[in-house]
Amino acid sequence: MRIQTKIQWYSSLFLIAMLLLLGLLVAIMFFWISLDREKDVLEEQVSLFVQNNPISQLAVDSPEVLEPYTPEDGMLRIISPKGGVINAYSDEEDYIEMEIEMMGEEDYSIKSVSGDFILLYQEPIKSSEEGVGVVEIVHSLGDLWENTLLLLYVLGGASLVIVMFSILAGKWLSRLILKPIALMSRTMGKIEESGRFQTICFEKESKDELQQMGLVFNKMIERLKENQRKQQQFVSDASHELKTPITVIESYANLLKRRDISDLKMQKQAAESIHHEALRMKRLTSQLLDIAALDEQDILPNEQLELVGFCEKIAHIFTETKKRFVHVDSVKKEIMGFTHRGKFEQVMIILLDNAIKYSKGDVAIYVDQNDNGQVTITVDDEGIGIPKKDLPYVFDRFYRVDSSRSRETGGSGLGLSIARELMHSLGGKISITSEENKGTSVRITL
């Protein structure tokens, strides 16, 4: 069953139940209020009768005395203390013949006489004189019952009209409320059929929760489209990057198969080229695996690290292995930072490796901390720099400023992209400034 149909049915059934309950309560209240008024009228009638007629006249069998005080469709009679009828008047024979039941005190009761309900009221006559008895007055409840039924019919008819209008209003309202969901459902169906991502187009802004859900859906679709684009670009770029070393290896392998393998110079050149391209493929594969690992999991800072000493250790390693001096400069002797040791080390290695590859002079690391506790680490070199037009793209995957220069240094265009992803996962930032033939400065913030 559709949600729209469920809303209509459940809301209509709930409304019908509420209207039935309301109608029943109103009818019951009307009946009891009217019954109380009937009781008051009978009591006043008896009081008026007793006041206007001496007690001595009440014991006389004279129905004409009772007639003015007898209600229409009712009866008035005087009952002796022994339970006998002294005087009675009524237009209904059934009431005259009604069996006497002494209550003993002033009270009301409802009885059924010949299928008709009546309200009966008895009031004892208190006096020291003889002939003291009970005044009994009766009035039919037929009119009250008919009025109550009429009220029920009116309430029932009004409820029916209300239910009909509520069904129409519920249908319109459910369509209005569920419109974003219907649009979302149709859009999902189109995406399933065509395989292309689509967003929901809203006719007007309602700024309600359902439209907010639709806007979130659109944002999700846009993100999926962007992820798909990045995935396609990643696969394309990775295929392109792997194609070059594979082609080189295949070419030299075929050359070795066709020519005389006794040529030592040719063997050495082929072996060196194959080894170089194999190492390049190894580095590229390792970087691709790093990117895949970054996409699959979030890396959260989990330890405090003394950053000045940490940077000095990394600088010492590069100084020893690359035979290039890397010095660390800091205003403070110790600066504490909250980060992930392994991933932060990977970022520093990427930055120092790039600085050494594309410069010939010394490399400097500056560590600083402001009054708010924010830590900045800057890696400076005096190398060839980066052209201004290329700066916005250096963090894109596989982007290289100069492909020929990258082939010489073994670059793949993934280092800075990995560094940016690592810093983002660590809750930090990375930025780069550069000027051609003067050097490059990369700043990371923790």
Side-chain angles (χ1 to χ4, degrees), residues 134-370:
V134 176
V135 179
E136 182 181 73
I137 189 169
V138 174
H139 188 220
S140 174
L141 296 178
D143 292 341
L144 177 58
W145 183 248
E146 290 178 1
N147 292 335
T148 304
L149 291 178
L150 179 61
L151 178 61
L152 284 173
Y153 293 149
V154 172
L155 291 174
S159 299
L160 182 61
V161 174
I162 292 174
V163 169
M164 291 177 62
F165 277 106
S166 70
I167 291 175
L168 297 176
K171 188 175 182 180
W172 172 79
L173 185 62
S174 61
R175 285 182 179 178
L176 180 65
I177 293 176
L178 298 176
K179 189 174 182 179
I181 297 179
L183 288 173
M184 192 182 302
S185 179
R186 286 198 295 269
T187 304
M188 288 180 178
K190 292 179 181 179
I191 294 174
E192 178 67 23
E193 292 177 1
S194 62
R196 297 179 180 178
F197 294 113
Q198 300 181 23
T199 56
I200 301 174
C201 296
F202 296 100
E203 297 178 358
K204 57 181 181 179
E205 292 188 7
S206 58
K207 296 182 180 180
D208 55 15
E209 290 81 0
L210 289 174
Q211 190 174 69
Q212 290 298 322
M213 182 176 65
L215 294 176
V216 172
F217 174 81
N218 286 347
K219 291 181 181 178
M220 181 187 68
I221 292 298
E222 291 295 337
R223 179 171 293 184
L224 289 175
K225 288 169 66 176
E226 179 66 17
N227 288 340
Q228 185 185 48
R229 185 191 66 79
K230 288 183 179 179
Q231 183 182 13
Q232 291 174 348
Q233 181 183 358
F234 180 79
V235 173
S236 175
D237 293 342
S239 301
H240 176 75
E241 293 295 330
L242 289 171
K243 186 184 297 183
T244 302
I246 291 175
T247 302
V248 173
I249 292 173
E250 182 184 14
S251 299
Y252 276 105
N254 290 332
L255 183 64
L256 291 175
K257 288 174 64 178
R258 289 196 304 267
R259 298 197 176 189
D260 185 6
I261 60 174
S262 60
D263 189 345
L264 296 179
K265 184 178 180 181
M266 179 62 65
Q267 289 182 13
K268 184 177 180 180
Q269 181 181 356
E272 289 179 352
S273 298
I274 291 174
H275 181 260
H276 179 269
E277 296 300 328
L279 291 178
R280 183 181 172 190
M281 287 180 62
K282 182 180 178 181
R283 286 194 299 269
L284 179 60
T285 303
S286 176
Q287 289 176 331
L288 291 176
L289 292 174
D290 289 339
I291 291 177
L294 285 173
D295 291 338
E296 290 178 359
Q297 60 181 354
D298 293 330
I299 304 166
L300 299 176
N302 61 358
E303 60 181 308
Q304 275 196 335
L305 192 64
E306 202 287 293
L307 297 174
V308 178
F310 187 79
C311 290
E312 289 177 345
K313 290 180 181 178
I314 297 179
H316 178 72
I317 293 173
F318 270 83
T319 300
E320 294 294 326
T321 57
K322 301 294 184 179
K323 305 303 179 184
R324 293 275 298 280
F325 181 65
V326 179
H327 68 91
V328 178
D329 188 11
S330 175
V331 178
K332 302 178 181 179
K333 292 183 178 181
E334 291 186 356
I335 294 178
M336 302 301 297
F338 195 66
T339 183
H340 186 285
R341 178 184 292 269
K343 301 306 176 183
F344 178 69
E345 181 179 5
Q346 189 175 356
V347 172
M348 293 301 299
I349 289 174
I350 291 173
L351 299 185
L352 289 174
D353 188 58
N354 282 346
I356 290 174
K357 280 181 183 178
Y358 302 113
S359 69
K360 295 182 179 179
D362 296 341
V363 177
I365 302 176
Y366 299 99
V367 186
D368 194 11
Q369 186 177 34
N370 61 20

Side-chain angles (χ1 to χ4, degrees), residues 13 46 125 131 209 216 249 319 378 389 396-398:
L13 291 174
V46 170
I125 303 173
E209 290 81 0
V216 172
I249 292 173
T319 300
T378 307
K389 64 180 179 64
D396 293 346
R397 293 176 181 177
F398 296 105

Side-chain angles (χ1 to χ4, degrees), residues 56-66 85-89:
S56 59
Q57 294 182 4
L58 298 180
V60 180
D61 186 8
S62 54
E64 64 277 2
V65 178
L66 305 180
V85 177
I86 299 175
N87 198 357
Y89 178 83

